[in-house]
Amino acid sequence: MTRDCQSMAAGPHHKHHRPDKGDFMIEAKGLTKRYGDTLAVNDLSFQVRPGTVTGFLGPNGAGKSTTMRMILGLDKPTRGTATVKGKHYHELKQPLRTVGALLEARWVHPNRSARSHLTWLAKANGIPKRRVDEVLDIVGLTSVANKRAGGYSLGMSQRLGIAGALLGDPEILMFDEPVNGLDPEGILWMRKFMHRLADEGRTVFVSSHLLSEMSLTANELVVIGKGELVAQRSTADFVARATEQAVRVRSPQLALLKDVIAGEGGTVRDEDDGIVVSGMDSESVGELAAKHSIVLHELSPQLGSLEQAFMSLTGDAVEYATQ
Amino acid sequence: MTLLAVERIKLFTTRSPWWCAAVALAIVIGFAALITGTAPSDFPVTVRTSQFGYSFGLAVIMVLAALSITTEYRFGTIKSTFLAVPNRPAVLLAKTGVVALVALVIGELAAFGALGVSTLLAPSSADIALNSAADWRQVAGVGVVYALTAAMGVAVGAMVRHSAGAISLLLIYGMVVESLVPLIPRVGEDIHKWLSFNVAEKFLSGGAAGGVADGPPLSTSTLSPGWALAYFAGVAAVLLAVAIVITRRRDA
C-alpha cells in the first residue's frame, strides 16, 4: 500500500481555494458550553484565516473537541456563536462540500465496508460516485475498500475518516487530534498530508495537545486552557515568545555582574554556582562584562523546550495538573 | 428523495435488517404451517388462524426498527450523519420512511406467505379464501401495522439511543405490559381498550367472527377498524414528533 500522498484534487474541475483574506473561514464569538456545573468552554473567541493551517492547541480536557463539535453543529453552545464562512453549520447547503471533518476515526458502522460508508456520505451531499474511488485511492484504502470497517486497524480507520473528510473536496478541513494513537509511520504520513492540504490552498484547523507536533504542521496557533483562550498568534511568534531566551553565566565577580545586569534592565536569578539572566541575550551579557572588565567562566544561552514553554503558558489553565 | 436513498443505503449495507427480515418471514409463515398442519378437524383453519404468527413477527419488526437508529448512536455514525445532513428532523423522517417501507414489505410477504402456506396444507374443505373486505384487511393489514410499528420503533430508538434499552422497552410493552393491564382492578379493562397494539388488533380482526378458539384473543377496542387504524397511526405520529423534538434539542 502506498503511503505517499497523491493529489487530493477532484480532477479537472478542481478550483483553487483562495478566497479573500478578509473573510474568516471559522470564527468563534464568545463561545461557551456548560455541562451541568462544568464550564467546558468559556467565552472563547478566535478566528481561522483562509489558507492557513491553524493549530488548535491545549492540554487534554481543555475543551478542544467540544469547541470543534460546536463549530460543526453537533453540540449546541450554551452561549455565543460559531460560524463557518460566516454561516452556522446547519445553514450550509451540502456541508461536506464546504467543511470536511474528522473528529473520531471510529465513527463507522463495523459491519459496513469503507466503500459503502463513503457511498452514503457522498449520496447525502450530491457528490458523484467516482469521487468515492478517488478518495479511497488518495488515502490508500482501495485494496480493502470492500472489507468491513470493523476489521480495520486504527491507522486504517483514521484514513477512512480522512477519506470521508475529503469526499466533498472541501476548502476547510477540521481534524481532532489526528495523530493520537498512530504509529510513527502513520504520524509522518499525517504530517505530509497536512502540508499537502495546505499547499493546495485549503484551510486546515487541527487540534493537538502537543506543541512540538503543531510547530511542525501549523503556521497559526489558537491556544486554549480550561476552555479559555490563552493566545492566538503565529506559530513562529508563539514559539519565540514562549521559549524566551535565558543566559547562564558563571563568574568570580558575580556580585558586580549582577549589579551591572540589573542596571541594564536584565533580570537575574541564582542557580547552582552561577546566575541565569533573562531579558538579555548572550551577546549583550558578554559585551557588558567586557566593558566592566568582569571575568566570565561560562556564558551559555539556554533554550527552553517547547513543551516547557507550553506548560508555562497554560500552566495555571491546566485542569488536571499534578500537584 | 436523496435522504431516502441515503437511509436505504445505510440500512441495507449492514446485516441486521436482512436477518430480521428473514426471521420475521420464517416465524410468521412457519407458525401458519404449524397451525394448519396440526389443526383438528372440528376447528378448521381460517384466514384469521393463518395469521397466528403475526405478533411474533411484530416483535422482530420492533427490533429491526429500533436497531436502525440505536446502532447509529452505538457506533457514532449518527455524528457522521448529522455532519452530512444537519437537518435532524429530515434525517429522522427519512429513516422512518425507509424502515416503515421495509416493514410494510416484510409484513405483506409474511402475511400472504402465511396464507399461501395454509392454503397449500389445509384440506380443501377449509374456508381460507379472501372473500370479504374483513378477510383482506386481516391479511393485507399486517404490513400496514408492521410499518406503523416500525415508525414507533425508530421513535423509541431515537429517544432511548441504547439498543438494549430501546428493544427491551418496546418488547416488554408490546408483549407483556399491554396484556397485563386488564389485571388492574376496575380501571384495567378500560385502559386496555385504548392501548396501541390492542387497538391495532382491532383494525386487523375487527369484523372477524369467531371466539378465542379461532386464534389469538380478539381486541377489546370499541373503535371501528378504520378509526382503530387512525388511532394507531396517531400514536406512531406522536411518538415520532416527540423523538424529533428531543433529537433536535440534544447534543449529538
Side-chain angles (χ1 to χ4, degrees):
Chain A
M1 190 189 307
T2 169
R3 290 230 158 183
D4 277 330
C5 304
Q6 296 149 37
S7 170
M8 272 146 273
H13 309 295
H14 185 60
K15 62 238 181 219
H16 273 281
H17 308 289
R18 287 271 183 211
D20 296 335
K21 280 279 174 189
D23 312 325
F24 296 123
M25 284 307 201
I26 300 172
E27 185 169 23
K29 277 186 197 159
L31 206 54
T32 303
K33 181 70 182 181
R34 179 183 284 282
Y35 296 109
D37 288 340
T38 320
L39 208 50
V41 176
N42 187 12
D43 197 21
L44 183 62
S45 300
F46 64 86
Q47 303 84 31
V48 176
R49 289 189 295 110
T52 60
V53 176
T54 299
F56 191 28
L57 191 63
N60 288 331
K64 301 187 296 293
S65 301
T66 306
T67 303
M68 287 188 145
R69 283 202 304 271
M70 286 193 284
I71 293 169
L72 294 167
L74 292 175
D75 287 9
K76 308 244 180 315
T78 310
R79 270 195 311 281
T81 56
T83 51
V84 177
K85 293 190 80 182
K87 288 178 175 172
H88 289 286
Y89 188 86
H90 66 84
E91 293 167 341
L92 297 171
K93 286 204 172 67
Q94 303 189 322
L96 299 187
R97 288 167 174 269
T98 305
V99 192
L102 171 62
L103 296 197
E104 223 168 276
R106 300 286 190 192
W107 286 351
V108 178
H109 194 295
N111 283 337
R112 204 174 274 143
S113 69
R115 178 167 279 121
S116 303
H117 176 71
L118 295 172
T119 302
W120 74 256
L121 281 176
K123 186 84 189 172
N125 277 244
I127 296 162
K129 229 182 157 187
R130 62 178 163 77
R131 180 68 181 157
V132 169
D133 292 318
E134 281 175 18
V135 293
L136 281 168
D137 197 39
I138 290 167
V139 300
L141 284 180
T142 308
S143 59
V144 291
N146 294 322
K147 299 225 161 63
R148 44 187 294 274
Y152 291 1
S153 68
L154 177 64
M156 289 160 83
S157 302
Q158 199 88 348
R159 284 147 177 262
L160 176 54
I162 288 174
L166 288 174
L167 199 57
D169 192 21
E171 51 191 311
I172 304 170
L173 285 143
M174 287 175 59
F175 301 112
D176 191 11
E177 299 273 3
V179 301
N180 245 16
L182 291 186
D183 55 12
E185 197 188 2
I187 292 174
L188 198 63
W189 186 88
M190 189 64 73
R191 259 183 224 152
K192 278 191 187 173
F193 193 79
M194 302 264 178
H195 285 137
R196 186 78 196 215
L197 293 170
D199 290 345
E200 290 179 359
R202 295 174 211 260
T203 306
V204 182
F205 187 50
V206 52
S207 81
S208 178
H209 63 282
L210 300 171
L211 177 57
S212 50
E213 185 60 39
M214 284 295 92
S215 67
L216 292 170
T217 37
N219 40 31
E220 298 267 333
L221 286 180
V222 173
V223 186
I224 68 167
K226 265 190 186 168
E228 293 179 25
L229 187 72
V230 173
Q232 168 162 26
R233 58 179 77 117
S234 78
T235 309
D237 188 23
F238 182 83
V239 169
R241 285 203 206 185
T243 57
E244 191 185 322
Q245 287 192 347
V247 186
R248 185 176 148 75
V249 189
R250 282 192 302 130
S251 164
Q253 293 152 279
L254 262 187
L256 178 57
L257 186 62
K258 278 185 190 174
D259 288 345
V260 173
I261 288 171
E264 291 292 316
T267 47
V268 172
R269 70 188 152 81
D270 293 309
E271 191 185 272
D272 300 334
D273 54 342
I275 55 172
V276 173
V277 182
S278 47
M280 290 173 81
D281 55 19
S282 55
E283 287 87 343
S284 323
V285 176
E287 283 161 17
L288 202 61
K291 204 166 104 189
H292 292 84
S293 309
I294 298 170
V295 176
L296 296 184
H297 289 169
E298 181 185 347
L299 179 66
S300 53
Q302 310 282 297
L303 284 177
S305 77
L306 284 177
E307 302 310 331
Q308 275 174 350
F310 181 40
M311 290 296 286
S312 71
L313 260 166
T314 58
D316 31 302
V318 174
E319 185 118 20
Y320 305 106
T322 46
Q323 298 300 311
Chain B
M1 282 318 287
T2 307
L3 284 184
L4 290 177
V6 168
E7 291 301 330
R8 176 181 54 79
I9 297 171
K10 275 202 271 185
L11 191 64
F12 287 116
T13 50
T14 59
R15 292 178 200 158
S16 68
W18 296 104
W19 278 108
C20 288
V23 169
L25 290 174
I27 288 182
V28 177
I29 297 173
F31 260 109
L34 193 69
I35 297 260
T36 314
T38 60
S41 54
D42 49 339
F43 279 116
V45 176
T46 64
V47 171
R48 181 167 154 69
T49 48
S50 76
Q51 303 300 315
F52 186 81
Y54 143 85
S55 60
F56 302 101
L58 192 71
V60 181
I61 294 298
M62 289 175 180
V63 172
L64 186 159
L67 281 181
S68 75
I69 180 87
T70 54
T71 53
E72 288 229 32
Y73 281 100
R74 163 78 177 78
F75 298 118
T77 51
I78 195 72
K79 281 135 182 161
S80 308
T81 299
F82 289 156
L83 286 182
V85 188
N87 184 347
R88 298 182 188 186
V91 168
L92 274 189
L93 287 175
K95 190 179 284 291
T96 305
V98 169
V99 176
L101 197 64
V102 169
L104 176 76
V105 171
I106 294 174
E108 298 305 336
L109 287 177
F112 283 98
L115 187 73
V117 163
S118 294
T119 314
L120 283 176
L121 296 178
S124 52
S125 60
D127 173 27
I128 46 175
L130 295 178
N131 42 25
S132 71
D135 283 347
W136 274 100
R137 205 174 56 236
Q138 179 85 60
V139 180
V142 169
V144 179
V145 172
Y146 279 14
L148 291 169
T149 303
M152 295 178 188
V154 172
V156 172
M159 288 186 245
V160 177
R161 290 187 285 184
H162 297 285
S163 300
I167 291 172
S168 323
L169 201 65
L170 284 161
L171 291 186
I172 291 173
Y173 175 78
M175 304 291 125
V176 183
V177 174
E178 277 211 4
S179 44
L180 288 183
V181 165
L183 300 181
I184 300 171
R186 287 198 299 278
V187 292
E189 295 281 358
D190 289 331
I191 297 174
H192 186 243
K193 281 177 192 164
W194 294 97
L195 295 182
S196 50
F197 292 103
N198 184 29
V199 176
E201 181 64 38
K202 175 74 181 200
F203 159 68
L204 287 174
S205 59
V212 176
D214 193 21
L218 283 171
S219 171
T220 56
S221 170
T222 50
L223 295 169
S224 72
W227 279 111
L229 178 64
Y231 177 83
F232 190 62
V235 173
V238 168
L239 282 174
L240 197 57
V242 172
I244 286 173
V245 169
I246 291 177
T247 307
R248 269 188 75 158
R249 283 199 191 151
R250 209 162 42 188
D251 288 341

